[in-house]
Amino acid sequence: MQKGNPRALLPIAVFLVIYLGLGILFEYVMHIPMGFYNIPIVVAFLIALLVACLQNRELSFDEKLELMGKGVGDKNIITMILIFMTAGAFVGVVGRSSADSVAYFLLSIIPARFAVAVLFVVSAFVSLAMGTSVGTITLITPIALSVSTTAGFSIPLCMGTVIGGAMFGDNLSFISDTTIAACNGQGCAMQDKFRENFAIALPAALVSLVIILLSSASQQVQELVIPEYNLVQIIPYLLVLIGGVIGMNVFVVLLVGIVTGSIIMLLTGSTAATSLLASMGSGVSGMFETSMVAILVSALCALIRQYGGFDALLYTIKRIFRGKKGGQLGAGLLVGAMDIATANNTVAIVMANPIAKEMAQDYGFTPRKTASILDTFSCIFQGVIPYGAQMLVALSAAHELGFQVTAFEIMPCLFYPYMLLLSTLLFIFVIPDRKQK
């Protein structure tokens, strides 16, 4: 086992100091709203890449450019970026107007005493369909607060339920940034990763639902007033979900979603024909930062690997985590540490991908298992950190509507991420791996 060169990891340390250090300063010292997200992560990675270029004088700058070019030009990186942009076009076309319809439809047919459980199911479905937990929380939190005030449920319970449901869907969605990054980084099919993840996530979701029902059962409930809704607009989401589950090519699935979404949005008058292409462009533009991060991290990791940084990291991990099960836990904690540092689960997966891929080869677990571990552990950590986008967006929506609630009041009600951690550990250490067909 090669000891590698620990100094080659300096660029990652520089990035973490800049991003995490400034994030803590902005958020908790200067009290800037959404402080972590006022830091341009692309600039932080550019600085880290510059540090990497200044290292190892044995290689010329042209040789380093060639190494970076090979890293960025990897088939999986190109595929990941194209899927990012196509998924952005789909969300841009379809929009997010169907979320209210799904929520109000279920609330209209299910008794009010089960309204909090309905919020979990709605958040899970919307996030699964849209591929974004942050977008889901933005849409469903106002509905959750309305349910809380009119029916009499606890505000932290309703908000924690929405965050948990959104993380369930984001973890499994075929068009989620995290799924795309994990699957393409490990070279596995999305439906294989979905099956691996679903077996872990479903028990956690069911146990969370039971806890939610028990937590809300003792509260006095009033009847809800349900506004009008239109279910036609969820058809493109359903087509994307079905196509992904049955194993259709992701580009074909997204193309079907874009075409059907365009037709439905035009026929229902939700989008004018003149603004349809602009909506697509806005959706693609929304993926710019994620795509640039993927490019920069790929170039950075190519240099770090060449310098021996990955060998040093793997040497350390192997000394701490032994055996196949220990390796899986090590990969999970690796991406979890990245997520704590960056407060972004997609970035955490992109950073951990190349290291986790080598770990999988050394420890002997499959690409789909690796992709599942990366996505699941990043979902767990992202779902509970008080400075993550999910929590901050939920708090911002509540404060805009005049509700005073803190992250630490919501954290005890984040049942799903805690149950997902328990379920994941059970599948790693207790339940044997299924044989890959």
Side-chain angles (χ1 to χ4, degrees), residues 123-125 127-129 131 164-174 176 416:
S123 299
F125 173 80
S127 185
L128 190 63
M167 297 312 297
F168 171 85
D170 192 19
N171 183 217
L172 294 174
S173 175
F174 286 87
S176 166
Y416 176 71

Side-chain angles (χ1 to χ4, degrees), residues 205-228:
L206 293 176
V207 173
S208 299
L209 270 175
V210 171
I211 297 173
I212 290 167
L213 288 170
L214 292 175
S215 299
S216 59
S218 60
Q219 301 183 19
Q220 296 294 325
V221 179
Q222 302 174 20
E223 289 301 317
L224 296 169
V225 178
I226 307 297
E228 292 184 1

Side-chain angles (χ1 to χ4, degrees), residues 1-6 308-316 319:
M1 186 189 305
Q2 295 182 352
K3 289 187 178 182
N5 178 19
F310 286 175
D311 287 337
L313 193 55
L314 287 169
Y315 178 80
T316 303
R319 292 187 63 183

Side-chain angles (χ1 to χ4, degrees), residues 345-430:
N345 44 347
T346 304
V347 174
I349 291 172
V350 172
M351 291 178 68
N353 255 331
I355 305 168
K357 192 168 187 176
E358 294 190 25
M359 289 179 65
Q361 293 171 353
D362 290 348
Y363 282 99
F365 42 93
T366 62
R368 71 178 186 182
K369 171 65 77 175
T370 314
S372 174
I373 288 171
L374 292 179
D375 203 347
T376 302
F377 271 91
S378 69
C379 170
I380 292 166
F381 283 88
Q382 186 69 21
V384 299
I385 55 176
Y387 53 88
Q390 288 74 8
M391 180 67 77
L392 296 177
V393 163
L395 292 173
S396 176
H399 293 164
E400 285 179 8
L401 294 172
F403 295 91
Q404 299 301 317
V405 61
T406 68
F408 297 101
E409 290 176 305
I410 296 173
M411 288 175 69
C413 299
L414 296 170
F415 306 125
Y416 176 71
Y418 303 138
M419 292 303 103
L420 183 60
L421 174 61
L422 179 60
S423 179
T424 304
L425 294 176
L426 285 173
F427 268 81
I428 290 177
F429 292 104
V430 178

Side-chain angles (χ1 to χ4, degrees), residues 100-101 104 226-230:
D100 288 357
S101 297
Y104 291 131
I226 307 297
E228 292 184 1
Y229 52 86
N230 181 1

Side-chain angles (χ1 to χ4, degrees), residues 6 40 48 93 112 141 154 252 259-260 287 315 327-328 350 369 423:
V93 166
T141 296
S154 160
V252 175
V259 172
T260 56
M287 291 293 185
Y315 178 80
Q328 293 177 28
V350 172
K369 171 65 77 175
S423 179

Side-chain angles (χ1 to χ4, degrees), residues 49-103:
L49 186 60
L50 174 62
V51 172
C53 289
L54 294 175
Q55 290 182 299
N56 195 347
R57 296 185 179 181
E58 294 179 2
L59 296 176
S60 68
F61 185 65
D62 282 343
E63 290 173 320
K64 292 173 183 177
L65 284 175
E66 186 175 347
L67 286 170
M68 289 188 281
K70 289 180 181 179
V72 174
D74 183 88
K75 174 188 172 184
N76 290 324
I77 300 299
I78 299 299
T79 303
M80 178 167 59
I81 292 170
L82 289 175
I83 295 174
F84 280 152
M85 292 191 291
T86 311
F90 169 71
V91 173
V93 166
V94 178
R96 297 169 177 178
S97 57
S98 66
D100 288 357
S101 297
V102 175

